[in-house]
Coordinates of all heavy atoms in Angstrom, one line a residue:
D1 N -5.5 -5.7 -0.9 CA -4.9 -6.7 -1.7 C -4.4 -6.0 -3.0 O -5.2 -5.4 -3.8 CB -5.9 -7.8 -2.1 CG -5.4 -9.0 -2.7 OD1 -4.4 -8.9 -3.4 OD2 -5.9 -10.1 -2.5
F2 N -3.1 -6.2 -3.3 CA -2.5 -5.6 -4.5 C -2.1 -6.7 -5.5 O -1.3 -6.5 -6.4 CB -1.2 -4.8 -4.1 CG -1.5 -3.6 -3.4 CD1 -1.6 -3.6 -2.0 CD2 -1.7 -2.4 -4.0 CE1 -1.8 -2.4 -1.2 CE2 -1.9 -1.2 -3.3 CZ -2.0 -1.2 -1.9
T3 N -2.7 -7.9 -5.4 CA -2.4 -9.0 -6.3 C -2.6 -8.6 -7.7 O -3.7 -8.1 -8.1 CB -3.2 -10.2 -6.0 OG1 -2.9 -10.6 -4.7 CG2 -2.8 -11.4 -6.9
G4 N -1.6 -8.7 -8.6 CA -1.7 -8.4 -10.1 C -1.4 -6.9 -10.4 O -1.3 -6.6 -11.5
F5 N -1.3 -6.1 -9.4 CA -1.1 -4.7 -9.6 C 0.3 -4.4 -10.1 O 1.3 -4.9 -9.5 CB -1.4 -3.9 -8.3 CG -1.3 -2.4 -8.4 CD1 -2.1 -1.7 -9.3 CD2 -0.5 -1.7 -7.5 CE1 -2.0 -0.3 -9.4 CE2 -0.4 -0.3 -7.6 CZ -1.2 0.4 -8.6
T6 N 0.4 -3.7 -11.2 CA 1.7 -3.3 -11.8 C 2.1 -1.9 -11.6 O 3.2 -1.4 -12.1 CB 1.7 -3.7 -13.3 OG1 0.7 -2.9 -13.9 CG2 1.6 -5.2 -13.5
G7 N 1.3 -1.1 -10.9 CA 1.6 0.3 -10.7 C 2.4 0.5 -9.4 O 3.1 -0.4 -8.9
T8 N 2.3 1.7 -8.9 CA 3.1 2.1 -7.7 C 2.1 2.6 -6.6 O 1.1 3.4 -6.9 CB 4.0 3.3 -8.1 OG1 5.0 2.9 -9.0 CG2 4.7 3.8 -6.8
F9 N 2.3 2.1 -5.4 CA 1.5 2.6 -4.3 C 2.5 3.3 -3.4 O 3.5 2.7 -3.0 CB 0.8 1.5 -3.5 CG 0.0 2.0 -2.4 CD1 -1.2 2.7 -2.6 CD2 0.3 1.8 -1.1 CE1 -2.0 3.2 -1.6 CE2 -0.4 2.3 0.0 CZ -1.6 3.0 -0.3
S10 N 2.3 4.6 -3.1 CA 3.2 5.4 -2.4 C 2.6 5.8 -1.0 O 1.6 6.5 -1.0 CB 3.6 6.6 -3.2 OG 4.5 7.4 -2.4
M11 N 3.4 5.6 0.1 CA 3.1 6.1 1.4 C 4.2 7.2 1.7 O 4.3 7.6 2.9 CB 3.1 5.0 2.4 CG 2.0 4.0 2.2 SD 2.0 2.7 3.4 CE 1.4 3.5 4.9
F12 N 4.9 7.6 0.7 CA 6.1 8.4 0.9 C 5.7 9.8 1.6 O 6.5 10.3 2.4 CB 6.8 8.7 -0.4 CG 8.2 9.1 -0.2 CD1 9.3 8.2 0.1 CD2 8.5 10.5 -0.4 CE1 10.6 8.7 0.3 CE2 9.8 10.9 -0.2 CZ 10.9 10.0 0.1
N13 N 4.6 10.3 1.2 CA 4.3 11.6 1.7 C 3.1 11.6 2.7 O 2.5 12.6 2.9 CB 3.9 12.6 0.5 CG 5.1 12.9 -0.4 OD1 6.2 13.1 0.1 ND2 4.9 12.8 -1.7
S14 N 2.8 10.5 3.2 CA 1.7 10.4 4.2 C 2.1 10.9 5.5 O 1.2 11.1 6.4 CB 1.1 8.9 4.2 OG 2.2 8.0 4.5
V15 N 3.4 11.0 5.8 CA 3.9 11.6 7.0 C 3.4 10.8 8.2 O 4.2 10.0 8.8 CB 3.7 13.1 7.0 CG1 4.5 13.7 8.2 CG2 4.1 13.8 5.8
T16 N 2.3 11.2 8.7 CA 1.9 10.6 10.0 C 0.5 9.9 9.9 O -0.1 9.5 10.8 CB 1.8 11.6 11.1 OG1 0.9 12.7 10.7 CG2 3.1 12.2 11.4
S17 N -0.1 9.9 8.7 CA -1.4 9.3 8.5 C -1.3 7.7 8.2 O -0.8 7.4 7.1 CB -2.2 10.0 7.3 OG -2.4 11.3 7.7
N18 N -1.7 6.9 9.1 CA -1.6 5.5 8.9 C -2.6 5.0 8.0 O -3.7 5.6 7.7 CB -1.7 4.8 10.3 CG -0.5 5.2 11.2 OD1 0.6 5.1 10.8 ND2 -0.8 5.5 12.5
N19 N -2.4 3.7 7.5 CA -3.3 3.0 6.7 C -3.9 1.9 7.7 O -3.1 1.1 8.1 CB -2.6 2.4 5.5 CG -3.6 1.8 4.5 OD1 -4.4 1.0 4.8 ND2 -3.4 2.2 3.3
V20 N -5.1 2.0 7.9 CA -5.7 1.1 9.0 C -6.5 -0.1 8.3 O -7.4 0.1 7.5 CB -6.7 1.9 9.9 CG1 -7.3 1.0 10.9 CG2 -5.9 3.0 10.6
I21 N -6.1 -1.3 8.7 CA -6.6 -2.5 8.1 C -7.2 -3.4 9.1 O -6.7 -3.8 10.1 CB -5.4 -3.2 7.4 CG1 -4.8 -2.3 6.3 CG2 -5.9 -4.6 6.8 CD1 -3.5 -3.0 5.7
S22 N -8.5 -3.8 8.8 CA -9.3 -4.6 9.8 C -9.1 -6.0 9.5 O -9.7 -6.9 10.3 CB -10.8 -4.2 9.7 OG -10.9 -2.8 10.0
G23 N -8.4 -6.4 8.5 CA -8.2 -7.8 8.2 C -6.7 -8.1 7.8 O -5.9 -8.0 8.7
G24 N -6.5 -8.5 6.5 CA -5.1 -8.8 6.1 C -4.6 -7.9 5.0 O -5.3 -7.1 4.5
L25 N -3.3 -8.2 4.7 CA -2.6 -7.4 3.7 C -1.9 -8.3 2.7 O -1.2 -9.2 3.2 CB -1.7 -6.4 4.3 CG -0.7 -5.7 3.4 CD1 -1.4 -4.6 2.5 CD2 0.4 -5.0 4.2
T26 N -2.0 -8.0 1.4 CA -1.2 -8.7 0.4 C -0.6 -7.6 -0.5 O -1.3 -6.9 -1.2 CB -2.0 -9.7 -0.5 OG1 -2.6 -10.7 0.4 CG2 -1.1 -10.4 -1.5
L27 N 0.7 -7.5 -0.5 CA 1.4 -6.7 -1.5 C 1.7 -7.4 -2.7 O 2.2 -8.6 -2.6 CB 2.7 -6.1 -0.8 CG 2.5 -5.2 0.4 CD1 3.9 -4.8 1.0 CD2 1.7 -4.0 0.0
G28 N 1.6 -6.8 -3.9 CA 1.8 -7.6 -5.1 C 3.3 -7.7 -5.5 O 4.1 -6.8 -5.3
S29 N 3.6 -8.8 -6.1 CA 5.0 -9.1 -6.4 C 5.5 -8.2 -7.6 O 6.7 -7.8 -7.6 CB 5.2 -10.5 -6.9 OG 4.3 -10.8 -7.9
G30 N 4.6 -7.7 -8.4 CA 5.0 -6.9 -9.6 C 4.8 -5.4 -9.4 O 5.0 -4.6 -10.3
M31 N 4.4 -5.0 -8.2 CA 4.1 -3.6 -7.9 C 5.4 -2.9 -7.4 O 6.3 -3.5 -7.0 CB 3.0 -3.5 -6.8 CG 3.4 -3.9 -5.5 SD 2.1 -3.8 -4.2 CE 1.9 -2.0 -4.1

């Protein structure tokens, strides 16, 4: 959950490493 986050989350250099989520995902509107 990224609610309220104003920074940057980068997957730009993760190349082949996935982000594994066992539930849900919320990307923040201001990130």
Side-chain angles (χ1 to χ4, degrees):
D1 193 326
F2 291 89
T3 300
F5 184 54
T6 59
T8 298
F9 184 70
S10 175
M11 299 178 71
F12 197 80
N13 294 316
S14 54
V15 188
T16 58
S17 296
N18 293 314
N19 193 306
V20 178
I21 300 173
S22 302
L25 169 70
T26 299
L27 297 176
S29 59
M31 70 181 291

